[in-house]
Amino acid sequence: MTQASPTPASSPTTPSATLALALELLERPSVTPDDHGCQALMIERLERLGFSVERMTISGIDNFWATRGQHGPTLAFAGHTDVVPSGPESEWTTPPFSPMIDDSGFLRGRGAADMKGSLAAMVTAVERFVVDHPDHDGRLAFLITADEEGPAIHGTRAVVERLRERHEPLEYCIVGEPSSTSHVGDVIKNGRRGSLGGVLKVRGIQGHVAYPHLARNPIHQALAALQALIDEHWDEGNDFFPATSFQISNVHGGTGATNVVPGELEVTFNFRYSTEVTAKALEQRVEALLDAHGLDYRLDWTLNGEPFLTPGGALLDAARHACREVVDEQPMLSTSGGTSDGRFIATLGTQVIELGPVNATIHQIDERIRASDLDTLSRIYETILVRLLT
């Protein structure tokens, strides 16, 4: 693909407040789980607006919870300052942590879309809102972590548990994940599928391939059961979610020798599941199927996240209104994609949506978004605030 020639972000054209903040964040190489000063930059801006900031460093992970206001419903912006590794820097058109705006108006840098651009748009939207509405209704909040792209154990999940323990209300939450497809505001994610992983170990008896009667091949034994899992119809899905899917991601067995029957087979798989089924029900159905095939096995489960859904309500209404007003777009609702930290926040009974930039280049070499999209996104966020907190 032919790239337009890059122009330094510090070109004579003065960047907007949102773009300037995004550039500052993008310059910090905050590869997960290192925040690298991004949160301090955000906290400084929020404290100027009268936010009370609670830093929560949990098992070495930097997080913060910031609030402004005392009464009424709480609307939180949620996001992460950590980014995935850049990959080979030599393959980038320009260094991944030296943000650039090219001649076509694209902002390039690791985290531009996922999700430092959204963080900048959130902060500047709140800055304008507070200036115009210093005595706004409700509470404004920020829930920011540096552990979204990593294990996601000591980040949003842990902060949510602290909020739950002290019965702190959280009615609405906007997660800044890159939800848009073609242009900002064309898609709002109002839910995500659940993710359930399993590691299956089928035990056999190792032996010489020339004496199969003295061995038991776990690969041969497991094939029919695995095919049954692949062919199983788990559910129909519903109006918001596609049918539950089962995928095998890794298969390991054997010693590497061609004349040895393996003693064990290991199979790693994953369910992406809808609200039509529970993780417990999936576990029970898988184990019943394996038992029916007479396998000698061990199965370890990992629940990465339950599905969540915001089918309607004041937040979704406000977000749709904002997209229509700012970009003249009737946004589509979607629950596609992987998991996000919204799955933890939704357990508080919170209305959760994801609304952010175009996601076409997330986690890729030369991650980029149209620079002007950040100002558009900031206006959308501000319009939501006006509708819900004034």
Side-chain angles (χ1 to χ4, degrees):
M1 179 173 62
T2 302
Q3 296 276 344
S5 58
T7 302
S10 57
S11 62
T13 302
T14 302
S16 68
T18 303
L19 185 55
L21 178 54
L23 292 168
E24 287 190 77
L25 292 169
L26 289 167
E27 288 173 350
R28 289 162 167 78
S30 55
V31 176
T32 190
D34 187 357
D35 169 68
H36 222 281
C38 292
Q39 292 182 22
L41 181 60
M42 295 179 67
I43 288 170
E44 180 183 1
R45 302 278 284 254
L46 295 176
E47 286 181 334
R48 288 183 209 157
L49 298 172
F51 276 80
S52 175
V53 179
E54 181 180 358
R55 292 171 172 84
M56 299 186 188
T57 300
I58 303 171
S59 296
I61 298 297
D62 290 327
N63 312 282
F64 76 83
W65 170 248
T67 58
R68 186 185 195 278
Q70 301 296 325
H71 306 291
T74 300
L75 188 157
F77 287 104
H80 59 92
T81 54
D82 59 323
V83 299
V84 297
S86 65
E89 292 196 16
S90 60
E91 296 184 15
W92 284 68
T93 303
T94 50
F97 296 106
S98 297
M100 306 292 286
I101 303 170
D102 67 25
D103 291 342
S104 297
F106 281 89
L107 170 64
R108 181 168 52 247
R110 175 56 85 222
D114 189 13
M115 58 172 286
K116 292 181 178 181
S118 294
L119 298 180
M122 292 171 180
V123 170
T124 58
V126 168
E127 286 175 337
R128 294 192 305 274
F129 176 77
V130 168
V131 168
D132 292 342
H133 306 280
D135 300 316
H136 57 81
D137 297 336
R139 287 198 313 165
L140 272 169
F142 279 77
L143 196 172
I144 306 298
T145 183
D147 185 37
E148 198 274 347
E149 299 290 7
I153 295 172
H154 303 299
T156 300
R157 183 200 298 256
V159 174
V160 163
E161 288 311 308
R162 291 193 179 185
L163 298 180
R164 192 193 317 279
E165 289 169 3
R166 62 199 195 195
H167 306 289
E168 189 156 356
L170 178 50
E171 284 79 9
Y172 312 122
C173 184
I174 302 170
V175 184
E177 290 292 347
S179 63
S180 303
T181 300
S182 298
H183 54 272
V184 172
D186 64 351
V187 175
I188 296 172
K189 292 191 183 293
N190 65 323
R192 293 275 191 158
R193 294 176 293 174
S195 175
L196 175 65
V199 178
L200 169 66
K201 294 182 179 180
V202 181
R203 292 179 285 265
I205 298 176
Q206 184 173 309
H208 197 292
V209 296
Y211 302 94
H213 59 289
L214 300 178
R216 188 173 75 242
N217 193 320
I219 298 175
H220 292 182
Q221 288 194 308
L223 287 177
L226 295 177
Q227 189 62 55
L229 289 170
I230 293 167
D231 294 339
E232 181 74 5
H233 184 73
W234 303 99
D235 60 44
E236 295 285 351
N238 55 37
D239 290 342
F240 295 99
F241 291 94
T244 294
S245 69
F246 169 86
Q247 290 292 319
I248 295 172
S249 57
N250 287 276
V251 177
H252 301 284
T255 65
T258 60
N259 59 351
V260 178
V261 173
E264 184 177 84
L265 171 69
E266 181 176 292
V267 179
T268 303
F269 60 86
N270 180 266
F271 283 100
R272 293 302 165 104
Y273 66 99
S274 75
T275 50
E276 293 297 302
V277 69
T278 65
K280 191 64 177 177
L282 289 173
E283 292 176 13
Q284 291 171 346
R285 288 172 64 180
V286 169
E287 291 167 8
L289 192 152
L290 296 175
D291 290 340
H293 283 78
L295 299 182
D296 179 10
Y297 70 91
R298 172 182 170 181
L299 183 51
D300 296 316
W301 294 100
T302 301
L303 179 58
N304 301 305
E306 295 277 6
F308 72 91
L309 179 67
T310 301
L315 176 59
L316 193 53
D317 289 346
R320 285 167 145 172
H321 165 82
C323 291
R324 289 194 299 269
E325 181 173 313
V326 176
V327 295
D328 193 24
E329 179 78 35
Q330 178 61 47
M332 292 179 55
L333 300 182
S334 172
T335 60
S336 65
T339 58
S340 79
D341 277 357
R343 68 193 190 272
F344 307 126
I345 299 165
T347 64
L348 296 172
T350 307
Q351 294 178 33
V352 179
I353 64 168
E354 297 173 24
L355 179 54
V358 173
N359 56 29
T361 62
I362 57 174
H363 293 203
Q364 294 183 12
I365 299 294
D366 282 346
E367 179 181 349
R368 60 199 178 278
I369 56 173
R370 193 171 294 280
S372 60
D373 283 354
L374 294 186
D375 288 315
T376 302
L377 182 61
S378 185
R379 291 198 303 274
I380 290 173
Y381 289 157
E382 182 184 10
T383 304
I384 295 173
L385 293 174
V386 170
R387 193 167 180 90
L388 287 177
L389 299 184
T390 60

